[in-house]
Amino acid sequence: MNPGSMAPAAVRTSLLEDFSLEMTGKDIPKLEEAHATIPPGTRINITFLGNEDLRMRLDAARAVKRLGFTPVPHISARRLRSRDDLEQFLAGLRADGTAENVFVVGGDPARPEGPYEDALAVIRTGLLGRNGVRHVGVSGYPEGHPAIPDGALRSALTDKYAVLQAQQLTGDVITQFGFDADAVLTWVEETRKWGVDQPIRIGVPGPAGVRRLLAYAARFGVGTSASIAKKYGFSLTNLMGTTGPERFLRALGDGYDPVRHGDLKVHFYTFGGLGATAEWIARFRRRADRSLK
């Protein structure tokens, strides 16, 4: 299926006008190769992996800024071994002029490697604002989390929102990826009823092999029933192909109601590679633009 062959106007004019991407500290060469296909100023999230060190993370943020994009470094709470770790990272970002936007997440380790149990604990330190952070992204889980009850997820999100407001920091919510646009939109509507009116960036997998997507889905507790897979555009019985999110984006655009869902954008997880995702988005948007002429 050609990217954008069934892209409605809602996708182009709203959801994809200010999309964001994700990279690791090792992806600087890939970002340099792909930068011409990415709109200037695009928010590039930089993951905080256990096999990367402070220098790699700071280098990646500097590269994103140098290439004309907006760096959004991740802070993984449970990977921080000490308060000093957090302070060093924030001080490095501040010195490089890359501290304005961050994304704070609990992180993968089941047990904290230091004093921070979750993202809220990091936010409550007050260190973000004191080091030049002005905008903080936090996580949302439309299909829940395999290790956290739904009630705890709701409390965590509303508590983080309240603390950010008290600290006079703006923010947004970036969701875990999923394959069911209806479930995502239902969760967004519920989240608005909780009083969370920050922009929400819907997590979308960039084009990738079906087998790889299913591996990530199993890891993060994302639903992959036969009906959902068919709706998204891949088969659970044929794992050799590659699939993109065009059907998901169409369903998202068709179901999106700004009154009920508020400010929505799209965040692309680059499971199939940063360059492949950037090229796919560029083609998709060109096709959508032509469909409106």
Side-chain angles (χ1 to χ4, degrees):
M1 184 179 301
N2 291 326
S5 60
M6 52 185 187
V11 172
R12 185 195 74 86
T13 58
S14 178
L15 301 177
L16 284 179
E17 281 297 314
D18 181 27
F19 68 87
S20 52
L21 292 166
E22 195 151 299
M23 64 177 283
T24 74
K26 299 176 182 178
D27 284 340
I28 295 175
K30 296 177 182 178
L31 182 63
E32 290 173 335
E33 292 173 3
H35 82 276
T37 63
I38 303 172
T42 295
R43 299 171 70 85
I44 309 287
N45 283 42
I46 305 156
T47 57
F48 193 107
L49 302 178
N51 60 357
E52 297 174 354
D53 58 20
L54 176 65
R55 181 191 59 79
M56 292 179 66
R57 294 168 188 142
L58 294 177
D59 284 349
R62 282 193 292 266
V64 171
K65 181 182 179 182
R66 170 174 56 82
L67 291 168
F69 308 120
T70 300
V72 185
H74 286 201
I75 300 173
S76 179
R78 287 190 288 273
R79 291 196 187 281
L80 293 166
R81 293 166 297 177
S82 65
R83 182 183 175 96
D84 187 58
D85 267 4
L86 176 58
E87 291 180 324
Q88 283 191 41
F89 187 40
L90 291 172
L93 295 174
R94 184 185 65 225
D96 292 337
T98 56
E100 185 172 346
N101 300 270
V102 300
F103 176 77
V104 186
V105 64
D108 290 338
R111 294 183 178 180
E113 298 174 7
Y116 306 113
E117 182 179 3
D118 53 27
L120 184 58
V122 169
I123 295 170
R124 279 178 168 157
T125 65
L127 291 172
L128 301 181
R130 291 204 291 272
N131 281 277
V133 175
R134 296 292 175 263
H135 186 93
V136 180
V138 297
S139 299
Y141 299 92
E143 296 188 37
H145 189 287
I148 306 174
D150 288 346
L153 288 174
R154 172 179 173 173
S155 296
L157 182 55
T158 55
D159 288 349
K160 283 180 280 192
Y161 179 56
V163 174
L164 290 174
Q165 284 188 309
Q167 295 180 0
Q168 298 184 318
L169 298 175
T170 61
D172 58 16
V173 179
I174 299 179
T175 75
Q176 181 57 270
F177 76 93
F179 302 121
D180 187 347
D182 292 336
V184 169
L185 289 170
T186 297
W187 177 87
V188 170
E189 191 168 358
E190 286 298 309
T191 301
R192 298 312 188 192
K193 293 177 182 177
W194 303 340
V196 177
D197 60 4
Q198 297 169 315
I200 296 179
R201 292 182 175 271
I202 304 301
V204 177
V210 173
R211 190 182 298 275
R212 173 172 288 188
L213 287 178
L214 291 177
Y216 278 108
R219 176 181 173 186
F220 296 116
V222 174
T224 54
S225 69
S227 61
I228 291 174
K230 183 178 180 180
K231 184 187 298 186
Y232 190 81
F234 64 84
S235 169
L236 296 179
T237 60
N238 180 9
L239 307 182
M240 301 306 294
T242 296
T243 188
E246 54 265 24
R247 289 192 184 184
F248 179 91
L249 290 174
R250 179 182 183 179
L252 198 66
D254 286 346
Y256 173 43
D257 177 357
V259 174
R260 291 186 292 124
H261 302 119
D263 186 2
L264 293 190
K265 304 295 182 185
V266 174
H267 176 76
F268 287 95
Y269 292 95
T270 55
F271 298 143
L274 181 61
T277 301
E279 291 172 5
W280 187 95
I281 297 168
R283 292 195 304 270
F284 186 88
R285 296 181 77 196
R286 285 196 299 269
R287 288 294 297 267
D289 284 343
R290 286 199 295 269
S291 72
L292 295 176
K293 294 179 180 178

